[in-house]
Each structure stands twice: as structure tokens, then as C-alpha cells.
Amino acid sequence: MTQRNLSGRASRRGSGGITLSDVSKLAGVSAITVSRALNTPGLVSPETREKVRLAVERTGYVPNLLAGGLASNRSRLVAALVPTIAGPVFLETIQALTEALADKGYQLMLGQAGYNNAREDALIDAIVGRRPDGIVLTGIMRSVDGRRRLLASGIPVVETWDLTPTPIDMLVGFSHEKAGAAMAQYLHRKGYRKPVIVTGDDQRAALRRHGFEQAWRILGGNAAPVREVPAPTTLGSGREALSALLVAGADIDAVACSSDVLAHGVITEAQARGMRVPGDMGVIGFGDLGFAQHAHPAITTVRIDGTGIGRQAARFIVERAEGREVEQMVVDLGFSLIERLSA
């Protein structure tokens, strides 16, 4: 039996979430009145509308747009939120997620939240209102309102591509800070002493930057200059970042990039200026995208098991949607540092 309280949390022991009845009890009005206040507010008094609004806000309730439409209460639809559909770094995860879900008879619906999460809350409301069998997030849900709505929905949620001690529900990913630290340790081990950081301005890149900076301090290095560029990152922004650093007189012997695309841009700009990579400057990327091993020189990078993340997320969703207990709610797949010729 599903256990609820009216603070906005629904127990994960069952499949139910906060209901219209819960909202009506908290507001002190009938369920029909709540329905009218939400769907035809002109039919109820302003005082009643305010009571209902406060109850909805407190519980995180989102109206079920499919109420009564599915007798089995199963949509066989899974929603995934990604920062962008243009960037290649998440494609491996989405492909694996799509295929693993399709094998079990589920379909995937994608939503683009953006890197600054400006659209995330609106997307959450739209998705929860359609009651999918599961929701997969790229990264950790940091919005307080978004967390409350997801907890209240009772829908299985998988956060991916990150780690946190306080997941909403299930989690599969890796530590961005440890990945950044591994990049710093590698460059130091290879003899580089004057690195700079070229990074996107998104949250996950910021964690890698923090991990790099902490590790570099522990290794006894001076603070690394940073050049931040908008996410999603591009080859052009990598070229522009290195150009700006060189024009500013930065003393550089290595560049740590938050993506392989940036690393490719940095290498291109260095070569255009007659600099040798790695002779004059080492470059390390992140993501191990398909082109990284074929670039000239091949890019040293951090490899993420995007396929494993997608398959594990699908496994989580299917097990919960089909009523099976998930024993291990958090899976850390780690990462690998791939040494090639650029650093």
C-alpha cells in the first residue's frame, strides 16, 4: 500500500503519487471543487482558488492529463530530459536507453531542458501530467520545485551522468569531480606544470573544473587560469578560447578541456598558429567522442560508459514499472582515462 503525507512526499513502495483527494483534504474542500479550481477557475470563488493553489504548491501535485484514459495505468512511455539534442556527448546514452526500452516494449520521449535548466520545471510539469512509466534525467535535479513535483508524482525517476548523496529515487552515473582530478593527475604525471582550463559554463563541467583545481593544488601546482565558454561547447569556441588566452599572455604548456569538441578546437587553433601538439602544448579532452581517436593528433580524453548508463537507466525503469523491487538504487559506473597522442 502506498504511504503518503501531505508535505509533498509519496512513498516509493507503491506506484501511486499525490492525488486530487490528497489536495482536497489539505485545502478543506471537495475533490470536485479542486477539479473546478484547476480546470475552470471562474466557477469557484477567489478564496477557494487560493486554498487550492496553496495545497497544490505544498504537495507538488500535477494534474493527470490522462486520468481515466488508461485502465491499466500503464503508458509504456518513458520520458528523458537532456540538456540539448544537438550535442553529441549524450547520444550514446540516449541510443542505448531507446534500444533497451524498446526491447521491453517501451517507447522513449525526449525533452530538451537546456544547459541552464531554465525550462526544466515547465518540462517536468508537462511530463508528469502525462504520467509516463518512468522519467530519466541527464544530471541531478537541483530545482527544489522540480524535486518536490517528482517526489509527489510517484513515477519512477532515474538521475544519470552524475552522483549525489541525495538522489530523488534511482541513480546511475559517475563523479565529475573525480574525473577532473584524474585529468589533473595525468597532466602532472606527464610533466606538465602550467595548465589552463577551457570549460563550458554548465554545472557538470563546473564540477570537473573544481575537481581539477583541487587535485592540482594538492599536487603543489599554481592556480590554473580558466577560460569559460557557453555550453553546448563547439570547435569554434575552443579556438576562440585558446586565442584569447594567448593574446592575454598566458604561459601555457597544457590545456584541460571540458569536452572533446573544445579540445579539437584548441588543437586546431594551436596548429594554425604553428604550435606543436603535444610538443609545445598538451591537450586533454572529455567524453571520448567518435572523432577523438581519429583527430590529428588523437585526443587524450576521459571515456564515459554512456551505453552502460543508458542500459542501467532502462533496467531501473522497467523493473519498477513492472512492480519488481530494485535492490541497488545507486550505480557508479566510473570512467576511464584514455591516453593518446595529444598529451
Side-chain angles (χ1 to χ4, degrees):
M1 179 177 178
T2 300
Q3 297 176 339
R4 298 188 186 92
N5 60 51
L6 296 183
S7 67
R9 279 185 170 269
S11 167
R12 292 285 170 169
R13 291 173 58 191
S15 61
I18 298 297
T19 67
L20 195 73
S21 176
D22 296 324
V23 175
S24 71
K25 290 175 183 176
L26 185 59
V29 298
S30 69
I32 292 176
T33 299
V34 172
S35 180
R36 286 174 181 162
L38 295 174
N39 299 307
T40 53
L43 297 181
V44 300
S45 69
E47 180 182 357
T48 299
R49 287 201 302 270
E50 180 63 10
K51 287 180 181 178
V52 171
R53 185 192 69 77
L54 290 172
V56 167
E57 181 176 314
R58 183 175 170 189
T59 60
Y61 173 74
V62 178
N64 186 350
L65 303 181
L66 299 181
L70 296 171
S72 67
N73 202 30
R74 293 274 298 280
S75 66
R76 304 201 76 82
L77 179 71
V78 175
L81 270 65
V82 295
T84 176
I85 58 175
V89 70
F90 303 113
L91 293 183
E92 188 178 330
T93 295
I94 295 304
Q95 184 67 31
L97 179 63
T98 300
E99 292 174 354
L101 288 172
D103 286 344
K104 298 295 183 179
Y106 292 80
Q107 299 299 318
L108 185 70
M109 175 178 67
L110 279 181
Q112 182 173 279
Y115 274 94
N116 62 5
N117 300 325
R119 296 188 297 272
E120 198 168 54
D121 285 347
L123 271 172
I124 290 297
D125 279 358
I127 289 169
V128 169
R130 287 160 176 79
R131 290 303 191 269
D133 285 334
I135 298 173
V136 178
L137 306 176
T138 302
I140 302 303
M141 171 57 68
R142 289 179 169 82
S143 161
V144 175
D145 287 341
R147 284 181 64 89
R148 183 168 63 242
R149 284 168 168 78
L150 289 170
L151 285 164
S153 73
I155 297 170
V157 175
V158 183
E159 293 165 288
T160 67
W161 271 80
D162 208 342
L163 292 178
T164 176
T166 57
I168 293 173
D169 188 1
M170 297 169 286
L171 175 65
V172 53
F174 61 96
S175 169
H176 287 270
E177 289 186 297
K178 288 182 179 179
M183 294 168 74
Q185 291 157 0
Y186 173 84
L187 290 177
H188 192 273
R189 188 167 65 250
K190 298 292 285 188
Y192 296 103
R193 294 296 182 269
K194 295 176 287 187
V196 299
I197 301 170
V198 175
T199 178
D201 60 0
D202 59 283
Q203 292 173 336
R204 285 171 291 280
L207 290 172
R208 295 194 293 277
R209 168 185 167 180
H210 180 66
F212 186 102
E213 291 173 330
Q214 277 197 321
W216 195 254
R217 282 196 296 270
I218 291 171
L219 292 166
N222 295 323
V226 177
R227 186 72 181 185
E228 195 172 83
V229 302
T233 55
T234 64
L235 186 149
S237 59
R239 292 196 66 171
E240 292 167 3
L242 179 60
S243 177
L245 285 163
L246 293 173
V247 168
D251 189 12
I252 302 169
D253 69 357
V255 184
C257 301
S258 69
S259 72
D260 286 344
V261 174
L262 278 177
H264 196 192
V266 167
I267 291 170
T268 301
E269 181 64 22
Q271 291 172 340
R273 291 171 173 266
M275 301 174 71
R276 296 168 301 144
V277 177
D280 297 318
M281 174 191 303
V283 179
I284 186 170
F286 175 87
D288 196 22
L289 300 182
F291 67 82
Q293 62 180 317
H294 304 294
H296 180 70
I299 300 172
T300 296
T301 187
V302 175
R303 165 72 177 153
I304 304 304
D305 187 2
T307 295
I309 290 174
R311 288 174 178 167
Q312 181 60 56
R315 192 175 302 120
F316 274 149
I317 293 294
V318 172
E319 287 180 358
R320 287 285 297 280
E322 296 181 354
R324 298 195 295 273
E325 189 74 22
V326 175
E327 295 183 2
Q328 186 177 356
M329 305 281 280
V330 176
V331 175
D332 180 356
L333 292 181
F335 54 86
S336 303
L337 202 148
I338 307 299
E339 181 175 359
R340 296 197 179 104
L341 298 177
S342 68

